[in-house]
Coordinates of all heavy atoms in Angstrom, one line a residue:
I1 N 84.6 50.6 78.2 CA 86.0 50.6 78.5 C 86.9 50.0 77.4 O 88.0 50.5 77.2 CB 86.1 49.7 79.8 CG1 85.5 50.3 81.0 CG2 87.6 49.3 80.1 CD1 85.4 49.4 82.2
L2 N 86.4 49.0 76.8 CA 87.2 48.4 75.7 C 87.1 49.2 74.4 O 88.2 49.4 73.8 CB 86.6 46.9 75.3 CG 86.8 46.0 76.4 CD1 86.1 44.6 75.9 CD2 88.2 45.7 76.7
E3 N 85.9 49.8 74.1 CA 85.9 50.7 72.9 C 86.8 51.8 73.1 O 87.4 52.2 72.0 CB 84.4 51.2 72.7 CG 83.6 50.4 72.0 CD 82.1 50.9 71.8 OE1 82.1 52.2 71.7 OE2 81.1 50.2 71.8
Q4 N 86.9 52.5 74.1 CA 87.7 53.6 74.3 C 89.2 53.3 74.8 O 90.0 54.2 75.0 CB 87.2 54.7 75.2 CG 85.8 55.2 74.7 CD 85.2 56.1 75.7 OE1 85.8 56.7 76.5 NE2 83.9 56.3 75.5
D5 N 89.5 52.0 75.0 CA 90.8 51.5 75.4 C 91.2 52.3 76.8 O 92.3 52.8 76.8 CB 91.9 51.6 74.3 CG 93.0 50.8 74.6 OD1 92.9 49.8 75.5 OD2 94.0 51.0 73.9
L6 N 90.2 52.4 77.6 CA 90.5 53.1 78.9 C 91.5 52.5 79.7 O 92.3 53.3 80.4 CB 89.2 53.2 79.7 CG 88.1 54.2 79.0 CD1 86.9 54.3 80.0 CD2 88.7 55.5 78.7
T7 N 91.9 51.3 79.7 CA 92.9 50.6 80.4 C 94.2 51.2 80.0 O 95.1 51.7 80.9 CB 92.9 49.1 80.3 OG1 91.6 48.6 80.7 CG2 93.9 48.4 81.1
E8 N 94.5 51.2 78.7 CA 95.7 51.9 78.2 C 95.8 53.3 78.5 O 96.8 53.9 78.9 CB 95.9 51.6 76.7 CG 97.0 52.2 76.1 CD 98.4 51.6 76.6 OE1 98.5 50.6 77.3 OE2 99.4 52.3 76.2
R9 N 94.6 53.9 78.3 CA 94.6 55.4 78.6 C 95.0 55.8 80.1 O 95.7 56.7 80.4 CB 93.2 55.9 78.3 CG 93.1 57.4 78.6 CD 91.6 57.9 78.2 NE 91.5 59.3 78.3 CZ 92.1 60.2 77.5 NH1 92.9 59.8 76.5 NH2 91.9 61.5 77.8
C10 N 94.5 54.9 81.0 CA 94.8 55.1 82.4 C 96.3 54.9 82.7 O 97.0 55.6 83.3 CB 94.0 54.1 83.4 SG 92.3 54.6 83.4
R11 N 96.9 53.9 82.0 CA 98.3 53.6 82.1 C 99.1 54.8 81.7 O 100.0 55.3 82.4 CB 98.7 52.4 81.4 CG 100.2 52.0 81.6 CD 100.6 50.8 80.6 NE 100.6 51.3 79.2 CZ 101.6 52.1 78.7 NH1 102.5 52.6 79.6 NH2 101.5 52.5 77.5
V12 N 98.8 55.4 80.5 CA 99.5 56.4 79.9 C 99.4 57.7 80.8 O 100.4 58.4 81.1 CB 99.1 56.7 78.5 CG1 99.7 58.0 77.9 CG2 99.5 55.5 77.6
L13 N 98.2 58.0 81.1 CA 97.9 59.2 82.0 C 98.5 59.1 83.4 O 99.0 60.0 84.0 CB 96.4 59.5 82.0 CG 95.8 60.0 80.7 CD1 94.3 60.2 80.9 CD2 96.5 61.3 80.2
G14 N 98.4 57.9 83.9 CA 99.1 57.6 85.2 C 100.6 57.8 85.1 O 101.2 58.4 86.1
E15 N 101.3 57.4 84.1 CA 102.7 57.7 83.9 C 102.9 59.1 83.8 O 104.0 59.6 84.4 CB 103.1 57.0 82.7 CG 103.3 55.4 82.8 CD 103.8 54.7 81.5 OE1 104.1 55.4 80.5 OE2 103.9 53.5 81.6
K16 N 102.1 59.9 83.2 CA 102.2 61.4 83.0 C 102.1 62.0 84.4 O 102.8 62.9 84.8 CB 101.2 61.9 82.0 CG 101.4 63.4 81.8 CD 100.6 63.9 80.7 CE 100.9 65.3 80.3 NZ 102.2 65.5 79.7
L17 N 101.1 61.5 85.1 CA 100.9 62.1 86.5 C 102.1 61.8 87.4 O 102.6 62.7 88.1 CB 99.6 61.5 87.1 CG 99.2 61.9 88.5 CD1 99.0 63.3 88.6 CD2 97.9 61.2 89.0
R18 N 102.5 60.6 87.4 CA 103.6 60.2 88.3 C 104.9 60.9 87.9 O 105.6 61.4 88.7 CB 103.9 58.7 88.1 CG 105.1 58.2 88.9 CD 105.4 56.8 88.9 NE 104.4 56.1 89.6 CZ 104.4 55.8 90.9 NH1 105.5 56.2 91.6 NH2 103.5 55.1 91.5
G19 N 105.1 61.1 86.6 CA 106.3 61.9 86.1 C 106.2 63.3 86.6 O 107.3 63.9 87.1
G20 N 105.1 64.0 86.4 CA 104.9 65.3 86.9 C 105.1 65.5 88.3 O 105.8 66.4 88.8
L21 N 104.5 64.6 89.1 CA 104.7 64.7 90.6 C 106.1 64.4 91.0 O 106.6 65.1 91.9 CB 103.8 63.6 91.3 CG 102.3 63.8 91.0 CD1 101.5 62.6 91.7 CD2 101.8 65.2 91.7
E22 N 106.8 63.4 90.5 CA 108.2 63.2 90.8 C 109.0 64.4 90.4 O 110.0 64.6 91.1 CB 108.6 61.8 90.1 CG 108.1 60.7 90.7 CD 108.4 59.3 90.1 OE1 108.8 59.4 88.9 OE2 108.2 58.3 90.7
A23 N 108.8 65.1 89.3 CA 109.5 66.2 88.9 C 109.4 67.3 89.9 O 110.4 68.1 90.0 CB 109.0 66.7 87.5
L24 N 108.4 67.3 90.8 CA 108.3 68.3 91.9 C 109.1 67.9 93.0 O 109.2 68.6 94.0 CB 106.8 68.4 92.3 CG 105.9 68.9 91.2 CD1 104.4 69.1 91.8 CD2 106.3 70.3 90.7
G25 N 109.7 66.7 93.0 CA 110.5 66.2 94.1 C 109.8 65.6 95.2 O 110.3 65.4 96.4
V26 N 108.6 65.1 95.0 CA 107.9 64.4 96.0 C 107.9 62.9 95.7 O 108.0 62.5 94.6 CB 106.3 64.9 96.1 CG1 106.2 66.4 96.4 CG2 105.6 64.6 94.8
C27 N 107.7 62.2 96.9 CA 107.6 60.7 96.7 C 106.3 60.3 96.3 O 105.3 60.9 96.8 CB 108.0 60.1 98.1 SG 107.9 58.3 98.1
V28 N 106.1 59.4 95.4 CA 104.8 59.0 94.8 C 104.6 57.6 95.0 O 105.4 56.7 94.9 CB 104.8 59.3 93.3 CG1 103.4 59.0 92.7 CG2 105.1 60.8 93.0
S29 N 103.3 57.3 95.4 CA 102.9 55.9 95.5 C 101.5 55.6 94.7 O 100.9 56.7 94.5 CB 102.7 55.4 97.0 OG 101.6 56.2 97.6
G30 N 101.3 54.5 94.4 CA 100.1 54.2 93.7 C 100.4 53.7 92.3 O 101.6 53.5 91.9
T31 N 99.3 53.4 91.6 CA 99.4 52.9 90.3 C 98.3 53.5 89.4 O 97.2 53.8 89.9 CB 99.3 51.4 90.3 OG1 99.5 50.9 89.0 CG2 98.0 50.9 90.8
G32 N 98.5 53.5 88.1 CA 97.6 54.1 87.2 C 97.2 55.5 87.6 O 98.1 56.3 87.9
L33 N 95.9 55.8 87.7 CA 95.4 57.1 88.0 C 95.2 57.2 89.5 O 94.7 58.3 90.0 CB 94.2 57.5 87.2 CG 94.5 57.8 85.7 CD1 93.2 58.0 85.0 CD2 95.4 59.0 85.6
M34 N 95.4 56.2 90.3 CA 95.2 56.3 91.7 C 96.6 56.4 92.3 O 97.3 55.4 92.6 CB 94.5 55.0 92.3 CG 93.2 54.9 91.8 SD 92.4 53.3 92.4 CE 92.6 53.5 94.1
Q35 N 96.9 57.7 92.6 CA 98.3 58.0 93.1 C 98.3 58.9 94.3 O 97.3 59.7 94.4 CB 99.2 58.6 92.0 CG 99.4 57.5 90.9 CD 100.4 57.8 89.9 OE1 101.4 58.4 90.3 NE2 100.2 57.4 88.7
A36 N 99.3 58.9 95.1 CA 99.4 59.8 96.2 C 100.8 60.5 96.1 O 101.8 59.8 95.9 CB 99.2 59.1 97.5
A37 N 100.9 61.8 96.5 CA 102.1 62.5 96.6 C 102.4 62.7 98.1 O 101.6 63.2 98.9 CB 102.0 63.9 96.0
H38 N 103.5 62.1 98.5 CA 103.9 62.2 100.0 C 104.8 63.5 100.2 O 105.8 63.6 99.6 CB 104.6 61.0 100.3 CG 103.8 59.7 100.1 ND1 102.9 59.2 101.1 CD2 103.6 58.9 99.0 CE1 102.3 58.2 100.7 NE2 102.7 58.0 99.4
L39 N 104.3 64.3 101.1 CA 104.9 65.6 101.2 C 105.8 65.7 102.5 O 105.7 64.8 103.4 CB 103.7 66.6 101.3 CG 102.6 66.7 100.3 CD1 101.6 67.7 100.5 CD2 103.3 66.8 98.9
E40 N 106.5 66.7 102.6 CA 107.4 67.0 103.8 C 106.6 68.0 104.7 O 107.2 68.4 105.6 CB 108.6 67.5 103.4 CG 109.6 66.4 102.7 CD 111.0 66.9 102.4 OE1 111.3 68.1 102.8 OE2 111.6 66.2 101.6
Q41 N 105.4 68.3 104.4 CA 104.6 69.3 105.2 C 103.1 68.6 105.4 O 102.9 67.6 104.8 CB 104.5 70.6 104.5 CG 103.8 70.5 103.1 CD 104.0 71.7 102.4 OE1 105.0 72.4 102.3 NE2 102.9 72.2 101.6
E42 N 102.4 69.2 106.2 CA 101.0 68.8 106.4 C 100.3 69.0 105.1 O 100.3 69.9 104.3 CB 100.3 69.6 107.5 CG 100.9 69.4 108.9 CD 100.7 68.0 109.4 OE1 99.6 67.5 109.1 OE2 101.6 67.4 109.9
A43 N 99.3 67.9 104.8 CA 98.6 67.8 103.5 C 97.4 68.7 103.5 O 97.0 69.3 102.4 CB 98.2 66.5 103.3
A44 N 96.8 68.9 104.7 CA 95.5 69.6 104.7 C 95.5 71.1 104.1 O 94.6 71.4 103.3 CB 94.9 69.6 106.2
P45 N 96.5 71.9 104.4 CA 96.6 73.2 103.7 C 96.8 73.1 102.2 O 96.3 73.9 101.5 CB 97.7 73.9 104.5 CG 98.0 73.2 105.7 CD 97.5 71.7 105.5
V46 N 97.5 72.1 101.9 CA 97.8 71.9 100.4 C 96.6 71.5 99.8 O 96.3 72.1 98.6 CB 98.9 70.9 100.2 CG1 99.2 70.6 98.8 CG2 100.3 71.4 100.8
V47 N 95.8 70.6 100.3 CA 94.5 70.2 99.7 C 93.6 71.4 99.6 O 92.9 71.5 98.6 CB 93.9 69.1 100.5 CG1 92.4 68.8 100.1 CG2 94.8 67.8 100.4
A48 N 93.6 72.2 100.5 CA 92.7 73.4 100.6 C 93.1 74.4 99.4 O 92.2 74.9 98.7 CB 92.7 74.1 101.9
R49 N 94.4 74.6 99.3 CA 94.8 75.6 98.3 C 94.6 75.0 96.9 O 94.2 75.7 96.0 CB 96.3 75.8 98.4 CG 96.6 76.7 99.7 CD 98.0 77.3 99.7 NE 99.0 76.2 100.0 CZ 99.4 75.9 101.2 NH1 98.9 76.5 102.2 NH2 100.4 74.9 101.4
M50 N 94.7 73.7 96.7 CA 94.5 73.1 95.5 C 93.0 73.1 95.1 O 92.6 73.4 93.9 CB 94.9 71.6 95.4 CG 96.5 71.4 95.4 SD 97.0 69.8 95.3 CE 96.6 69.4 93.5
R51 N 92.1 72.9 96.1 CA 90.7 73.2 95.9 C 90.3 74.5 95.5 O 89.4 74.7 94.6 CB 89.9 72.7 97.2 CG 89.9 71.1 97.3 CD 89.1 70.7 98.4 NE 89.2 69.2 98.6 CZ 88.8 68.5 99.7 NH1 88.3 69.2 100.7 NH2 89.0 67.2 99.7
D52 N 91.0 75.5 96.1 CA 90.8 76.9 95.7 C 91.2 77.2 94.3 O 90.7 78.0 93.7 CB 91.6 77.8 96.7 CG 91.1 77.9 98.1 OD1 90.0 77.4 98.4 OD2 91.8 78.3 99.0
R53 N 92.1 76.4 93.7 CA 92.5 76.5 92.4 C 91.6 75.7 91.5 O 91.9 75.6 90.3 CB 93.9 76.1 92.2 CG 94.9 77.0 92.9 CD 96.3 76.4 92.8 NE 97.2 77.2 93.6 CZ 97.7 78.5 93.2 NH1 97.3 79.0 92.1 NH2 98.5 79.1 94.0
G54 N 90.6 75.0 92.0 CA 89.7 74.2 91.2 C 90.0 72.8 90.9 O 89.4 72.1 90.1
V55 N 91.0 72.3 91.7 CA 91.5 70.9 91.5 C 91.1 70.1 92.8 O 91.5 70.4 93.8 CB 93.0 70.9 91.3 CG1 93.5 69.3 91.3 CG2 93.4 71.6 90.1
L56 N 90.2 69.1 92.5 CA 89.7 68.3 93.6 C 90.6 67.2 93.9 O 90.8 66.3 93.1 CB 88.3 67.8 93.4 CG 87.2 68.9 93.2 CD1 85.9 68.2 92.8 CD2 87.1 69.7 94.4
V57 N 91.2 67.1 95.2 CA 92.0 66.1 95.7 C 91.6 65.8 97.0 O 90.8 66.6 97.6 CB 93.6 66.4 95.6 CG1 94.1 66.5 94.1 CG2 93.8 67.7 96.2
C58 N 92.2 64.8 97.7 CA 91.8 64.6 99.1 C 93.1 64.2 99.9 O 94.1 63.8 99.2 CB 90.8 63.5 99.2 SG 91.2 61.9 98.6
G59 N 93.1 64.4 101.1 CA 94.3 64.0 101.9 C 94.3 62.5 102.1 O 93.3 61.8 101.9
A60 N 95.4 61.9 102.2 CA 95.6 60.5 102.3 C 96.6 60.4 103.6 O 97.8 60.0 103.4 CB 96.2 59.9 101.1
G61 N 96.1 60.7 104.7 CA 97.0 60.7 105.9 C 97.4 62.1 106.1 O 97.1 63.0 105.4
P62 N 98.2 62.3 107.2 CA 98.6 63.7 107.5 C 99.6 64.4 106.5 O 99.5 65.6 106.4 CB 99.3 63.6 108.9 CG 99.7 62.1 109.0 CD 98.7 61.3 108.1
R63 N 100.3 63.7 105.7 CA 101.3 64.3 104.8 C 101.2 63.7 103.4 O 102.3 63.7 102.7 CB 102.7 64.1 105.4 CG 102.9 64.8 106.7 CD 104.3 64.6 107.2 NE 104.4 65.3 108.5 CZ 105.1 66.4 108.6 NH1 105.9 66.8 107.6 NH2 105.3 67.0 109.8
A64 N 100.0 63.4 102.9 CA 99.9 62.9 101.5 C 98.7 63.4 100.9 O 97.6 63.6 101.6 CB 100.0 61.4 101.5
V65 N 98.8 63.7 99.6 CA 97.6 64.2 98.8 C 97.3 63.1 97.8 O 98.1 62.7 97.1 CB 98.1 65.5 98.1 CG1 96.9 66.0 97.2 CG2 98.4 66.6 99.0
R66 N 96.0 62.6 97.8 CA 95.7 61.6 96.9 C 95.0 62.2 95.6 O 94.2 63.1 95.7 CB 94.6 60.8 97.6 CG 94.1 59.6 96.7 CD 93.4 58.5 97.5 NE 94.3 57.8 98.3 CZ 94.2 57.4 99.5 NH1 92.9 57.6 100.0 NH2 95.0 56.8 100.2
F67 N 95.4 61.6 94.5 CA 95.0 62.0 93.2 C 94.1 60.9 92.7 O 94.6 59.7 92.6 CB 96.1 62.3 92.3 CG 96.9 63.6 92.6 CD1 97.9 63.5 93.6 CD2 96.7 64.8 92.0 CE1 98.6 64.7 93.9 CE2 97.4 65.9 92.3 CZ 98.3 65.9 93.3
L68 N 92.9 61.1 92.3 CA 92.0 60.1 91.7 C 91.2 60.7 90.5 O 90.1 60.9 90.6 CB 91.0 59.8 92.8 CG 91.5 59.0 94.0 CD1 90.5 59.0 95.1 CD2 92.0 57.6 93.6
P69 N 92.0 61.2 89.5 CA 91.3 61.7 88.3 C 90.5 60.7 87.6 O 90.7 59.5 87.7 CB 92.5 62.2 87.4 CG 93.7 61.4 87.8 CD 93.5 61.0 89.3
A70 N 89.5 61.2 86.8 CA 88.6 60.4 86.0 C 89.4 59.7 84.9 O 90.4 60.2 84.4 CB 87.5 61.2 85.5
F71 N 88.9 58.5 84.6 CA 89.5 57.8 83.5 C 89.5 58.6 82.2 O 90.3 58.3 81.3 CB 88.7 56.5 83.2 CG 88.9 55.4 84.3 CD1 88.1 54.2 84.2 CD2 89.8 55.6 85.3 CE1 88.2 53.2 85.3 CE2 89.8 54.6 86.3 CZ 89.2 53.4 86.2
T72 N 88.5 59.5 82.1 CA 88.4 60.3 80.8 C 89.2 61.6 81.0 O 89.0 62.4 80.0 CB 86.9 60.4 80.6 OG1 86.3 61.2 81.7 CG2 86.2 59.2 80.3
S73 N 90.0 61.8 82.0 CA 90.8 63.0 82.0 C 91.6 63.2 80.8 O 92.1 62.2 80.1 CB 91.6 63.0 83.3 OG 90.9 63.0 84.4
T74 N 91.9 64.4 80.5 CA 92.8 64.7 79.4 C 94.2 65.0 79.9 O 94.5 65.2 81.1 CB 92.4 66.0 78.6 OG1 92.5 67.2 79.5 CG2 90.9 65.8 78.2
E75 N 95.2 64.9 79.0 CA 96.6 65.3 79.4 C 96.7 66.6 80.0 O 97.4 66.9 80.9 CB 97.5 65.2 78.1 CG 97.8 63.7 77.8 CD 98.9 63.5 76.8 OE1 99.8 64.4 76.7 OE2 98.9 62.6 76.0
A76 N 95.9 67.6 79.5 CA 95.9 68.9 79.9 C 95.4 69.0 81.4 O 95.9 69.8 82.2 CB 95.1 69.9 79.0
E77 N 94.4 68.2 81.7 CA 93.9 68.2 83.0 C 94.9 67.6 84.0 O 95.0 68.1 85.2 CB 92.5 67.4 83.1 CG 91.4 68.2 82.4 CD 90.2 67.3 82.1 OE1 90.2 66.1 81.9 OE2 89.1 67.9 82.1
I78 N 95.6 66.6 83.6 CA 96.6 66.0 84.4 C 97.7 67.0 84.7 O 98.2 67.2 85.8 CB 97.3 64.7 83.7 CG1 96.2 63.6 83.6 CG2 98.4 64.2 84.6 CD1 95.6 63.1 84.9
E79 N 98.1 67.8 83.6 CA 99.1 68.9 83.8 C 98.6 69.9 84.8 O 99.4 70.5 85.6 CB 99.5 69.4 82.5 CG 100.3 68.4 81.5 CD 100.3 69.0 80.1 OE1 99.9 70.1 79.8 OE2 100.9 68.2 79.4
E80 N 97.3 70.2 84.7 CA 96.7 71.2 85.6 C 96.8 70.7 86.9 O 97.2 71.6 87.9 CB 95.3 71.5 85.2 CG 94.6 72.5 86.0 CD 93.1 72.7 85.6 OE1 92.7 72.3 84.6 OE2 92.5 73.4 86.3
M81 N 96.6 69.5 87.3 CA 96.7 69.0 88.6 C 98.1 69.1 89.2 O 98.3 69.5 90.3 CB 96.3 67.4 88.6 CG 94.9 67.2 88.3 SD 94.6 65.4 88.3 CE 92.9 65.4 87.6
V82 N 99.1 68.7 88.3 CA 100.5 68.9 88.7 C 100.9 70.3 89.1 O 101.5 70.6 90.0 CB 101.5 68.2 87.8 CG1 102.9 68.5 88.1 CG2 101.2 66.6 87.7
S83 N 100.4 71.2 88.2 CA 100.7 72.6 88.3 C 100.0 73.2 89.6 O 100.6 74.0 90.3 CB 100.2 73.4 87.1 OG 100.9 73.1 85.9
A84 N 98.9 72.7 89.8 CA 98.2 73.2 91.0 C 98.9 72.7 92.3 O 99.0 73.4 93.3 CB 96.8 72.7 91.1
L85 N 99.4 71.5 92.3 CA 100.2 71.1 93.4 C 101.4 71.9 93.6 O 101.7 72.3 94.7 CB 100.6 69.6 93.4 CG 101.4 69.0 94.5 CD1 100.7 69.2 95.8 CD2 101.9 67.6 94.2
A86 N 102.1 72.1 92.5 CA 103.4 73.0 92.6 C 103.1 74.3 93.1 O 103.9 74.7 94.0 CB 103.9 73.0 91.1
A87 N 102.0 74.9 92.8 CA 101.6 76.2 93.2 C 101.1 76.2 94.7 O 101.1 77.3 95.4 CB 100.6 76.9 92.3
S88 N 100.7 75.0 95.1 CA 100.1 75.0 96.5 C 101.1 74.5 97.5 O 100.8 74.5 98.8 CB 98.9 74.0 96.4 OG 98.0 74.5 95.5
L89 N 102.3 74.1 97.1 CA 103.3 73.6 98.2 C 103.9 74.8 98.9 O 104.0 75.9 98.4 CB 104.4 72.8 97.5 CG 104.0 71.5 96.9 CD1 105.1 70.9 96.1 CD2 103.6 70.5 97.9

């Protein structure tokens, strides 16, 4: 964790994730890489469509999608998650 400065990496990638989600117009809760996008529609079909696109997320209640990317995720993978949500809404 210290060698790779994963704490700072999580902060930076978390900001990127939050910014991308907020740009889609969804309310976002959470911190670091543990975040949820609160939707105006049911989450289950969105989660299923994202999984079909190869992005693993889970529901967080009836209208929220939880994002829990790995600490070692890349910026490109964070962008892919946001793009998958955009295409799945």
Side-chain angles (χ1 to χ4, degrees):
I1 291 174
L2 295 176
E3 273 183 31
Q4 297 178 23
D5 200 13
L6 291 181
T7 303
E8 176 65 9
R9 180 174 184 74
C10 288
R11 186 190 66 73
V12 170
L13 290 177
E15 287 177 1
K16 183 170 191 66
L17 177 59
R18 178 176 289 273
L21 296 174
E22 288 176 343
L24 297 178
V26 299
C27 180
V28 181
S29 65
T31 184
L33 288 174
M34 294 178 56
Q35 299 192 34
H38 300 271
L39 311 177
E40 294 183 7
Q41 63 191 37
E42 292 295 316
V46 175
V47 168
R49 288 191 290 270
M50 290 183 72
R51 286 182 182 166
D52 289 344
R53 295 176 184 283
V55 176
L56 296 178
V57 293
C58 58
R63 293 179 180 248
V65 177
R66 180 164 291 142
F67 292 81
L68 297 165
F71 290 173
T72 56
S73 295
T74 64
E75 286 191 27
E77 290 167 332
I78 298 297
E79 291 168 3
E80 181 181 350
M81 292 175 190
V82 173
S83 293
L85 177 62
S88 298
L89 292 175

